[in-house]
Amino acid sequence: MSSSPRPRSPGLQNAPARQSGAVLYVALIMLILLALLGIVGMQVTGLQEKMSSNYRAANLAFQNAEQLVRITECGVEDTVNRTTTTGCSASSDVKVCDEAFDVGDWADAIAKARTGKSTNIRLIGPCISGNSSLAMGSAVNEDANPIYQISGYQTDQADNASADAAIDTIFRP
């Protein structure tokens, strides 16, 4: 039996005998670029998750502080109107306006002491009669429509707080 040469396909007749392997290098570079793109994507996703967690904690702290102030306002209104509303906290420690008070310093002191939630109630109506200053002054007369400054401080959760908020309101019952 004699062996006859196999016919070659027309496309392989002109193929070079040695290949340089450029496709391998291009594929490796593409693979490295895709891996870097994936790593950057994971880092961006992790950063966005941290940002959303911080936003949630700050929002919860704000909502908790606002709830505390609204409950205190309800208690002040009950005291002024001599009524009782379920769920309102009684307002017994009402300060007068001639005492200096800065909400930022007050909130910082509470945050450093880690005492949790707190409220501060000031009767400021008599001090602003006759266009006097809101910050300091002496009581002029008894106002039939009292005005209160109610400040509240609260964190985002009871234990292991990661955010805090202070709210300062002017309230007229």
Side-chain angles (χ1 to χ4, degrees):
M1 260 195 179
S2 76
S3 67
S4 63
R6 289 179 152 181
R8 296 184 116 197
S9 21
L12 293 177
Q13 291 175 351
N14 299 331
R18 241 174 134 217
Q19 295 182 359
S20 62
V23 173
L24 180 63
Y25 293 122
V26 170
L28 287 175
I29 290 173
M30 294 296 281
L31 187 61
I32 289 171
L33 289 175
L34 287 174
L36 289 175
L37 187 65
I39 290 170
V40 168
M42 287 182 357
Q43 288 177 342
V44 168
T45 302
L47 182 63
Q48 286 180 349
E49 186 176 345
K50 287 178 186 176
M51 289 184 334
S52 65
S53 174
N54 289 340
Y55 178 76
R56 180 184 180 275
N59 197 4
L60 280 175
F62 176 79
Q63 290 176 11
N64 290 342
E66 188 171 15
Q67 178 186 17
L68 181 65
V69 167
R70 297 297 172 232
I71 289 171
T72 304
E73 286 175 353
C74 181
V76 168
E77 189 167 12
D78 281 352
T79 301
V80 170
N81 296 331
R82 293 181 178 90
T83 59
T84 303
T85 305
T86 306
C88 295
S89 64
S91 56
S92 59
D93 187 26
V94 179
K95 298 164 186 65
V96 292
C97 56
D98 57 351
E99 299 173 9
F101 178 72
D102 181 72
V103 178
D105 293 340
W106 173 74
D108 286 342
I110 294 170
K112 288 177 185 171
R114 297 198 181 272
T115 57
K117 65 182 182 177
S118 183
T119 56
N120 185 40
I121 307 168
R122 294 177 66 211
L123 177 63
I124 61 171
C127 298
I128 59 175
S129 298
N131 297 324
S132 62
S133 169
L134 274 173
M136 302 268 303
S138 60
V140 177
N141 58 8
E142 190 65 33
D143 193 357
N145 296 316
I147 300 172
Y148 293 90
Q149 176 187 16
I150 300 175
S151 307
Y153 172 86
Q154 182 66 287
T155 59
D156 62 331
Q157 49 189 331
D159 55 340
N160 196 17
S162 61
D164 58 352
I167 295 180
D168 191 36
T169 64
I170 303 297
F171 176 68
R172 176 177 248 164

